[in-house]
Amino acid sequence: MEANKKVSIVIPVYKAADTITRCVESLENNTYKNLQIILVEDCSGDQTIGVCRKLADMYDNVLCVENDQNHGVSYTRNHGLDYAEGTYLMFVDSDDYVVEDYVETMVTAVSDTEDEK
Protein backbone atom coordinates (compact mmCIF):
# COMPACT_ATOMS: atom_id res chain seq x y z
CA MET A 1 0.00 0.00 0.00
CA GLU A 2 1.25 3.45 -0.86
CA ALA A 3 0.49 5.64 2.16
CA ASN A 4 1.90 8.72 0.46
CA LYS A 5 -0.94 8.96 -2.07
CA LYS A 6 -3.48 11.61 -1.13
CA VAL A 7 -7.13 10.65 -0.89
CA SER A 8 -9.70 13.38 -1.56
CA ILE A 9 -13.04 12.82 0.14
CA VAL A 10 -15.97 14.88 -1.12
CA ILE A 11 -18.86 15.36 1.29
CA PRO A 12 -22.02 17.07 0.03
CA VAL A 13 -23.54 18.89 2.99
CA TYR A 14 -27.16 20.01 3.33
CA LYS A 15 -28.88 20.70 6.66
CA ALA A 16 -26.32 18.56 8.47
CA ALA A 17 -25.37 20.76 11.41
CA ASP A 18 -26.09 17.88 13.79
CA THR A 19 -24.12 15.20 11.91
CA ILE A 20 -21.22 16.74 9.96
CA THR A 21 -18.86 17.05 12.93
CA ARG A 22 -19.15 13.33 13.73
CA CYS A 23 -18.61 12.54 10.05
CA VAL A 24 -15.44 14.64 9.75
CA GLU A 25 -14.04 13.46 13.09
CA SER A 26 -14.48 9.83 12.03
CA LEU A 27 -12.40 10.57 8.93
CA GLU A 28 -9.80 12.53 10.91
CA ASN A 29 -9.45 9.55 13.27
CA ASN A 30 -8.73 7.15 10.41
CA THR A 31 -5.50 5.18 10.28
CA TYR A 32 -4.80 6.60 6.81
CA LYS A 33 -3.67 10.19 7.31
CA ASN A 34 -2.99 11.71 3.86
CA LEU A 35 -6.53 13.01 3.42
CA GLN A 36 -8.15 16.04 1.85
CA ILE A 37 -11.71 16.44 3.11
CA ILE A 38 -13.90 18.68 0.95
CA LEU A 39 -17.14 19.87 2.52
CA VAL A 40 -19.47 21.30 -0.12
CA GLU A 41 -22.29 23.17 1.61
CA ASP A 42 -25.44 23.40 -0.54
CA CYS A 43 -27.10 26.54 0.90
CA SER A 44 -28.77 24.86 3.84
CA GLY A 45 -30.12 28.09 5.28
CA ASP A 46 -29.40 27.02 8.84
CA GLN A 47 -26.29 26.84 11.02
CA THR A 48 -24.67 24.13 8.87
CA ILE A 49 -22.32 26.53 7.06
CA GLY A 50 -21.01 27.79 10.40
CA VAL A 51 -20.24 24.24 11.52
CA CYS A 52 -18.47 23.53 8.21
CA ARG A 53 -16.38 26.71 8.52
CA LYS A 54 -15.45 25.78 12.09
CA LEU A 55 -14.30 22.32 10.95
CA ALA A 56 -12.22 23.88 8.16
CA ASP A 57 -10.59 26.20 10.71
CA MET A 58 -9.96 23.30 13.11
CA TYR A 59 -8.35 20.92 10.60
CA ASP A 60 -5.71 21.91 8.02
CA ASN A 61 -6.86 19.21 5.59
CA VAL A 62 -10.55 20.23 5.59
CA LEU A 63 -11.81 22.61 2.93
CA CYS A 64 -15.20 24.31 3.12
CA VAL A 65 -16.77 25.17 -0.24
CA GLU A 66 -20.13 26.92 -0.60
CA ASN A 67 -22.49 26.56 -3.53
CA ASP A 68 -23.83 29.86 -4.89
CA GLN A 69 -27.38 28.51 -4.58
CA ASN A 70 -29.04 25.23 -3.67
CA HIS A 71 -28.29 22.77 -6.49
CA GLY A 72 -28.92 19.32 -5.02
CA VAL A 73 -26.64 16.44 -4.17
CA SER A 74 -25.40 15.47 -7.66
CA TYR A 75 -24.28 18.98 -8.58
CA THR A 76 -22.79 19.40 -5.12
CA ARG A 77 -20.70 16.22 -5.39
CA ASN A 78 -19.48 17.28 -8.83
CA HIS A 79 -18.65 20.77 -7.54
CA GLY A 80 -16.43 19.15 -4.91
CA LEU A 81 -14.47 17.41 -7.67
CA ASP A 82 -13.22 20.82 -8.82
CA TYR A 83 -11.19 21.04 -5.58
CA ALA A 84 -9.94 17.45 -5.34
CA GLU A 85 -6.15 17.11 -5.35
CA GLY A 86 -5.82 13.45 -4.41
CA THR A 87 -4.69 10.48 -6.42
CA TYR A 88 -7.75 8.67 -5.12
CA LEU A 89 -11.28 9.97 -4.69
CA MET A 90 -14.00 8.92 -2.28
CA PHE A 91 -17.48 10.17 -1.44
CA VAL A 92 -19.03 10.15 2.01
CA ASP A 93 -22.45 11.50 2.97
CA SER A 94 -22.72 14.14 5.68
CA ASP A 95 -24.72 11.90 8.00
CA ASP A 96 -22.27 9.00 7.70
CA TYR A 97 -19.39 8.12 9.98
CA VAL A 98 -16.75 5.55 9.22
CA VAL A 99 -14.63 2.98 11.07
CA GLU A 100 -11.01 3.82 11.77
CA ASP A 101 -9.52 1.74 8.94
CA TYR A 102 -12.13 2.69 6.31
CA VAL A 103 -9.83 4.74 4.06
CA GLU A 104 -6.82 2.46 4.53
CA THR A 105 -8.91 -0.57 3.55
CA MET A 106 -10.05 1.15 0.36
CA VAL A 107 -6.54 2.34 -0.57
CA THR A 108 -5.11 -1.13 0.10
CA ALA A 109 -7.76 -2.72 -2.12
CA VAL A 110 -7.01 -0.32 -4.96
CA SER A 111 -3.23 -0.69 -4.53
CA ASP A 112 -3.51 -4.48 -4.55
CA THR A 113 -5.56 -4.31 -7.75
CA GLU A 114 -2.99 -2.00 -9.38
CA ASP A 115 -0.18 -4.37 -8.38
CA GLU A 116 -1.92 -7.24 -10.18
CA LYS A 117 -1.68 -5.47 -13.54
Side-chain angles (χ1 to χ4, degrees), residues 31-117:
T31 54
Y32 195 90
K33 297 300 182 188
N34 194 3
L35 302 178
Q36 175 194 31
I37 300 170
I38 306 164
L39 306 176
V40 187
E41 211 287 327
D42 195 23
C43 300
S44 297
D46 63 4
Q47 66 273 27
T48 300
I49 189 61
V51 176
C52 289
R53 288 177 183 152
K54 182 179 176 183
L55 290 164
D57 287 342
M58 192 180 318
Y59 299 106
D60 292 338
N61 63 326
V62 175
L63 176 65
C64 177
V65 177
E66 300 175 52
N67 284 346
D68 58 350
Q69 62 183 2
N70 180 268
H71 289 285
V73 70
S74 295
Y75 175 95
T76 301
R77 279 192 186 106
N78 288 331
H79 188 196
L81 296 177
D82 294 337
Y83 299 89
E85 300 172 348
T87 302
Y88 300 124
L89 176 68
M90 297 175 74
F91 295 99
V92 173
D93 289 333
S94 60
D95 61 347
D96 291 342
Y97 57 95
V98 300
V99 296
E100 66 183 17
D101 64 344
Y102 178 74
V103 179
E104 184 175 348
T105 299
M106 299 300 242
V107 171
T108 299
V110 171
S111 296
D112 289 349
T113 302
E114 288 176 348
D115 291 343
E116 292 174 5
K117 293 180 182 178

